[in-house]
Amino acid sequence: MFNVDAFLSYLVNPYLLGGVGITIGLTITTILIGLVLALPLALASMSTNNLLRAPAKFYIWIFRGTPLLVQIVIIYTGLPQLGVRFDVLTSAILALSLNEAAYLSETIRAGFSAVAKGQIEAAKALSLSKMATLRLVTLPQVIRIIIPPLGNSVNGLLKATSLASVISMEELMRRSQVLMQAKFEVLELYCVAAVFYLVLTSLWDVVQRRLEKHYGKGYAPTEKKTNVVRTPAAA
């Protein structure tokens, strides 16, 4: 039978709250590294140089086409067989970041594709260099375009961090499993974990809406002015 008292006590359990903190830290670290890797990856995938485009496309194909769980296990248990060893934290961050970079690069590429070609041509007419065009013309528009899908990626990543529990990464899900083994209150702890994930994703949803409002305010439709018809003054 569901133990309500146990459920409520786990909501303020310091051990689980520590796991929430680790989940947040893992998400922030992963999304930052993923973005750093994704931008050059997206630019390479759009390059006309096949030496840049082919490796980028292959990377994206591999990491988008295989399960994240498999990638985590291979990095943690497979690479040591080749003489490359990482601890649990490094393996989790590496796997999540490499996977996230592949998805974010496609998001960024789509953002670049959505920028009107006339913008680039106008920049060339002003004799702007490629870097200046990227920094002053293209990127500001790309950022506005990719905020919604980027927010969805962060939301998904918050939940995907739970897969790191398979290599004993001490995030929220792993700590919930440890308590399950000790207390045998499986349903209560899964429900508590679900509540924590729901709170985290809901808080991020608030942040995402603020970001969308901030970056989209310059493009908001202007209010229509009411036309006032002036009648000729009476003679």
Side-chain angles (χ1 to χ4, degrees), residues 81-94:
Q81 299 180 31
L82 301 176
V84 182
R85 295 182 180 276
F86 298 109
D87 58 25
V88 171
L89 177 59
T90 304
S91 297
I93 292 176
L94 184 60

mmCIF file with all atom_site columns, all heavy atoms in Angstrom, residues 81-94:
data_model
loop_
_atom_site.group_PDB
_atom_site.id
_atom_site.type_symbol
_atom_site.label_atom_id
_atom_site.label_alt_id
_atom_site.label_comp_id
_atom_site.label_asym_id
_atom_site.label_entity_id
_atom_site.label_seq_id
_atom_site.pdbx_PDB_ins_code
_atom_site.Cartn_x
_atom_site.Cartn_y
_atom_site.Cartn_z
_atom_site.occupancy
_atom_site.B_iso_or_equiv
_atom_site.pdbx_formal_charge
_atom_site.auth_seq_id
_atom_site.auth_comp_id
_atom_site.auth_asym_id
_atom_site.auth_atom_id
_atom_site.pdbx_PDB_model_num
ATOM 1   N N   . GLN A 1 81 ? 38.830 -0.686 -22.658 1.00 0.00 ? 81 GLN A N   1
ATOM 2   C CA  . GLN A 1 81 ? 39.433 -1.813 -23.361 1.00 0.00 ? 81 GLN A CA  1
ATOM 3   C C   . GLN A 1 81 ? 40.407 -1.360 -24.441 1.00 0.00 ? 81 GLN A C   1
ATOM 4   O O   . GLN A 1 81 ? 41.225 -2.152 -24.923 1.00 0.00 ? 81 GLN A O   1
ATOM 5   C CB  . GLN A 1 81 ? 38.329 -2.683 -23.979 1.00 0.00 ? 81 GLN A CB  1
ATOM 6   C CG  . GLN A 1 81 ? 37.372 -3.270 -22.944 1.00 0.00 ? 81 GLN A CG  1
ATOM 7   C CD  . GLN A 1 81 ? 36.292 -4.127 -23.572 1.00 0.00 ? 81 GLN A CD  1
ATOM 8   O OE1 . GLN A 1 81 ? 36.522 -4.754 -24.599 1.00 0.00 ? 81 GLN A OE1 1
ATOM 9   N NE2 . GLN A 1 81 ? 35.124 -4.167 -22.952 1.00 0.00 ? 81 GLN A NE2 1
ATOM 10  N N   . LEU A 1 82 ? 40.306 -0.063 -24.811 1.00 0.00 ? 82 LEU A N   1
ATOM 11  C CA  . LEU A 1 82 ? 41.243 0.515  -25.779 1.00 0.00 ? 82 LEU A CA  1
ATOM 12  C C   . LEU A 1 82 ? 42.316 1.346  -25.081 1.00 0.00 ? 82 LEU A C   1
ATOM 13  O O   . LEU A 1 82 ? 43.098 2.033  -25.735 1.00 0.00 ? 82 LEU A O   1
ATOM 14  C CB  . LEU A 1 82 ? 40.474 1.393  -26.782 1.00 0.00 ? 82 LEU A CB  1
ATOM 15  C CG  . LEU A 1 82 ? 39.371 0.701  -27.591 1.00 0.00 ? 82 LEU A CG  1
ATOM 16  C CD1 . LEU A 1 82 ? 38.651 1.714  -28.468 1.00 0.00 ? 82 LEU A CD1 1
ATOM 17  C CD2 . LEU A 1 82 ? 39.962 -0.425 -28.436 1.00 0.00 ? 82 LEU A CD2 1
ATOM 18  N N   . GLY A 1 83 ? 42.310 1.277  -23.745 1.00 0.00 ? 83 GLY A N   1
ATOM 19  C CA  . GLY A 1 83 ? 43.308 2.012  -22.973 1.00 0.00 ? 83 GLY A CA  1
ATOM 20  C C   . GLY A 1 83 ? 42.906 3.420  -22.595 1.00 0.00 ? 83 GLY A C   1
ATOM 21  O O   . GLY A 1 83 ? 43.723 4.180  -22.064 1.00 0.00 ? 83 GLY A O   1
ATOM 22  N N   . VAL A 1 84 ? 41.642 3.788  -22.860 1.00 0.00 ? 84 VAL A N   1
ATOM 23  C CA  . VAL A 1 84 ? 41.152 5.135  -22.519 1.00 0.00 ? 84 VAL A CA  1
ATOM 24  C C   . VAL A 1 84 ? 40.155 4.993  -21.377 1.00 0.00 ? 84 VAL A C   1
ATOM 25  O O   . VAL A 1 84 ? 39.093 4.389  -21.552 1.00 0.00 ? 84 VAL A O   1
ATOM 26  C CB  . VAL A 1 84 ? 40.473 5.809  -23.731 1.00 0.00 ? 84 VAL A CB  1
ATOM 27  C CG1 . VAL A 1 84 ? 40.010 7.214  -23.356 1.00 0.00 ? 84 VAL A CG1 1
ATOM 28  C CG2 . VAL A 1 84 ? 41.431 5.854  -24.904 1.00 0.00 ? 84 VAL A CG2 1
ATOM 29  N N   . ARG A 1 85 ? 40.483 5.572  -20.223 1.00 0.00 ? 85 ARG A N   1
ATOM 30  C CA  . ARG A 1 85 ? 39.640 5.412  -19.042 1.00 0.00 ? 85 ARG A CA  1
ATOM 31  C C   . ARG A 1 85 ? 39.146 6.770  -18.541 1.00 0.00 ? 85 ARG A C   1
ATOM 32  O O   . ARG A 1 85 ? 39.906 7.722  -18.479 1.00 0.00 ? 85 ARG A O   1
ATOM 33  C CB  . ARG A 1 85 ? 40.405 4.704  -17.915 1.00 0.00 ? 85 ARG A CB  1
ATOM 34  C CG  . ARG A 1 85 ? 40.796 3.275  -18.242 1.00 0.00 ? 85 ARG A CG  1
ATOM 35  C CD  . ARG A 1 85 ? 41.508 2.606  -17.081 1.00 0.00 ? 85 ARG A CD  1
ATOM 36  N NE  . ARG A 1 85 ? 41.868 1.249  -17.412 1.00 0.00 ? 85 ARG A NE  1
ATOM 37  C CZ  . ARG A 1 85 ? 41.055 0.202  -17.297 1.00 0.00 ? 85 ARG A CZ  1
ATOM 38  N NH1 . ARG A 1 85 ? 39.835 0.386  -16.822 1.00 0.00 ? 85 ARG A NH1 1
ATOM 39  N NH2 . ARG A 1 85 ? 41.455 -1.014 -17.637 1.00 0.00 ? 85 ARG A NH2 1
ATOM 40  N N   . PHE A 1 86 ? 37.871 6.813  -18.202 1.00 0.00 ? 86 PHE A N   1
ATOM 41  C CA  . PHE A 1 86 ? 37.274 7.997  -17.600 1.00 0.00 ? 86 PHE A CA  1
ATOM 42  C C   . PHE A 1 86 ? 36.527 7.580  -16.340 1.00 0.00 ? 86 PHE A C   1
ATOM 43  O O   . PHE A 1 86 ? 35.985 6.467  -16.271 1.00 0.00 ? 86 PHE A O   1
ATOM 44  C CB  . PHE A 1 86 ? 36.282 8.667  -18.561 1.00 0.00 ? 86 PHE A CB  1
ATOM 45  C CG  . PHE A 1 86 ? 36.907 9.171  -19.838 1.00 0.00 ? 86 PHE A CG  1
ATOM 46  C CD1 . PHE A 1 86 ? 36.646 8.538  -21.049 1.00 0.00 ? 86 PHE A CD1 1
ATOM 47  C CD2 . PHE A 1 86 ? 37.743 10.270 -19.829 1.00 0.00 ? 86 PHE A CD2 1
ATOM 48  C CE1 . PHE A 1 86 ? 37.195 9.006  -22.229 1.00 0.00 ? 86 PHE A CE1 1
ATOM 49  C CE2 . PHE A 1 86 ? 38.310 10.738 -21.001 1.00 0.00 ? 86 PHE A CE2 1
ATOM 50  C CZ  . PHE A 1 86 ? 38.045 10.109 -22.201 1.00 0.00 ? 86 PHE A CZ  1
ATOM 51  N N   . ASP A 1 87 ? 36.487 8.485  -15.361 1.00 0.00 ? 87 ASP A N   1
ATOM 52  C CA  . ASP A 1 87 ? 35.698 8.182  -14.168 1.00 0.00 ? 87 ASP A CA  1
ATOM 53  C C   . ASP A 1 87 ? 34.210 8.347  -14.491 1.00 0.00 ? 87 ASP A C   1
ATOM 54  O O   . ASP A 1 87 ? 33.834 8.737  -15.602 1.00 0.00 ? 87 ASP A O   1
ATOM 55  C CB  . ASP A 1 87 ? 36.115 9.066  -12.989 1.00 0.00 ? 87 ASP A CB  1
ATOM 56  C CG  . ASP A 1 87 ? 35.968 10.559 -13.293 1.00 0.00 ? 87 ASP A CG  1
ATOM 57  O OD1 . ASP A 1 87 ? 35.152 10.919 -14.160 1.00 0.00 ? 87 ASP A OD1 1
ATOM 58  O OD2 . ASP A 1 87 ? 36.680 11.360 -12.654 1.00 0.00 ? 87 ASP A OD2 1
ATOM 59  N N   . VAL A 1 88 ? 33.358 8.058  -13.512 1.00 0.00 ? 88 VAL A N   1
ATOM 60  C CA  . VAL A 1 88 ? 31.915 8.070  -13.749 1.00 0.00 ? 88 VAL A CA  1
ATOM 61  C C   . VAL A 1 88 ? 31.430 9.451  -14.185 1.00 0.00 ? 88 VAL A C   1
ATOM 62  O O   . VAL A 1 88 ? 30.692 9.589  -15.163 1.00 0.00 ? 88 VAL A O   1
ATOM 63  C CB  . VAL A 1 88 ? 31.162 7.619  -12.477 1.00 0.00 ? 88 VAL A CB  1
ATOM 64  C CG1 . VAL A 1 88 ? 29.661 7.848  -12.634 1.00 0.00 ? 88 VAL A CG1 1
ATOM 65  C CG2 . VAL A 1 88 ? 31.427 6.152  -12.197 1.00 0.00 ? 88 VAL A CG2 1
ATOM 66  N N   . LEU A 1 89 ? 31.847 10.489 -13.461 1.00 0.00 ? 89 LEU A N   1
ATOM 67  C CA  . LEU A 1 89 ? 31.384 11.841 -13.775 1.00 0.00 ? 89 LEU A CA  1
ATOM 68  C C   . LEU A 1 89 ? 31.827 12.268 -15.170 1.00 0.00 ? 89 LEU A C   1
ATOM 69  O O   . LEU A 1 89 ? 31.024 12.781 -15.963 1.00 0.00 ? 89 LEU A O   1
ATOM 70  C CB  . LEU A 1 89 ? 31.912 12.827 -12.731 1.00 0.00 ? 89 LEU A CB  1
ATOM 71  C CG  . LEU A 1 89 ? 31.559 14.303 -12.959 1.00 0.00 ? 89 LEU A CG  1
ATOM 72  C CD1 . LEU A 1 89 ? 30.050 14.497 -12.992 1.00 0.00 ? 89 LEU A CD1 1
ATOM 73  C CD2 . LEU A 1 89 ? 32.197 15.182 -11.882 1.00 0.00 ? 89 LEU A CD2 1
ATOM 74  N N   . THR A 1 90 ? 33.093 12.062 -15.488 1.00 0.00 ? 90 THR A N   1
ATOM 75  C CA  . THR A 1 90 ? 33.605 12.444 -16.802 1.00 0.00 ? 90 THR A CA  1
ATOM 76  C C   . THR A 1 90 ? 32.904 11.673 -17.909 1.00 0.00 ? 90 THR A C   1
ATOM 77  O O   . THR A 1 90 ? 32.560 12.237 -18.962 1.00 0.00 ? 90 THR A O   1
ATOM 78  C CB  . THR A 1 90 ? 35.126 12.201 -16.882 1.00 0.00 ? 90 THR A CB  1
ATOM 79  O OG1 . THR A 1 90 ? 35.770 12.906 -15.818 1.00 0.00 ? 90 THR A OG1 1
ATOM 80  C CG2 . THR A 1 90 ? 35.688 12.672 -18.213 1.00 0.00 ? 90 THR A CG2 1
ATOM 81  N N   . SER A 1 91 ? 32.680 10.384 -17.692 1.00 0.00 ? 91 SER A N   1
ATOM 82  C CA  . SER A 1 91 ? 31.995 9.567  -18.704 1.00 0.00 ? 91 SER A CA  1
ATOM 83  C C   . SER A 1 91 ? 30.578 10.066 -18.950 1.00 0.00 ? 91 SER A C   1
ATOM 84  O O   . SER A 1 91 ? 30.132 10.152 -20.105 1.00 0.00 ? 91 SER A O   1
ATOM 85  C CB  . SER A 1 91 ? 31.961 8.108  -18.256 1.00 0.00 ? 91 SER A CB  1
ATOM 86  O OG  . SER A 1 91 ? 33.252 7.571  -18.146 1.00 0.00 ? 91 SER A OG  1
ATOM 87  N N   . ALA A 1 92 ? 29.873 10.403 -17.873 1.00 0.00 ? 92 ALA A N   1
ATOM 88  C CA  . ALA A 1 92 ? 28.501 10.885 -18.010 1.00 0.00 ? 92 ALA A CA  1
ATOM 89  C C   . ALA A 1 92 ? 28.465 12.214 -18.766 1.00 0.00 ? 92 ALA A C   1
ATOM 90  O O   . ALA A 1 92 ? 27.669 12.394 -19.693 1.00 0.00 ? 92 ALA A O   1
ATOM 91  C CB  . ALA A 1 92 ? 27.862 11.045 -16.633 1.00 0.00 ? 92 ALA A CB  1
ATOM 92  N N   . ILE A 1 93 ? 29.330 13.151 -18.376 1.00 0.00 ? 93 ILE A N   1
ATOM 93  C CA  . ILE A 1 93 ? 29.365 14.458 -19.037 1.00 0.00 ? 93 ILE A CA  1
ATOM 94  C C   . ILE A 1 93 ? 29.765 14.311 -20.497 1.00 0.00 ? 93 ILE A C   1
ATOM 95  O O   . ILE A 1 93 ? 29.170 14.941 -21.388 1.00 0.00 ? 93 ILE A O   1
ATOM 96  C CB  . ILE A 1 93 ? 30.337 15.406 -18.297 1.00 0.00 ? 93 ILE A CB  1
ATOM 97  C CG1 . ILE A 1 93 ? 29.777 15.764 -16.918 1.00 0.00 ? 93 ILE A CG1 1
ATOM 98  C CG2 . ILE A 1 93 ? 30.580 16.672 -19.123 1.00 0.00 ? 93 ILE A CG2 1
ATOM 99  C CD1 . ILE A 1 93 ? 30.704 16.610 -16.080 1.00 0.00 ? 93 ILE A CD1 1
ATOM 100 N N   . LEU A 1 94 ? 30.754 13.476 -20.760 1.00 0.00 ? 94 LEU A N   1
ATOM 101 C CA  . LEU A 1 94 ? 31.240 13.285 -22.128 1.00 0.00 ? 94 LEU A CA  1
ATOM 102 C C   . LEU A 1 94 ? 30.152 12.702 -23.025 1.00 0.00 ? 94 LEU A C   1
ATOM 103 O O   . LEU A 1 94 ? 29.892 13.209 -24.120 1.00 0.00 ? 94 LEU A O   1
ATOM 104 C CB  . LEU A 1 94 ? 32.466 12.375 -22.117 1.00 0.00 ? 94 LEU A CB  1
ATOM 105 C CG  . LEU A 1 94 ? 33.171 12.149 -23.459 1.00 0.00 ? 94 LEU A CG  1
ATOM 106 C CD1 . LEU A 1 94 ? 33.660 13.476 -24.030 1.00 0.00 ? 94 LEU A CD1 1
ATOM 107 C CD2 . LEU A 1 94 ? 34.334 11.172 -23.299 1.00 0.00 ? 94 LEU A CD2 1
#
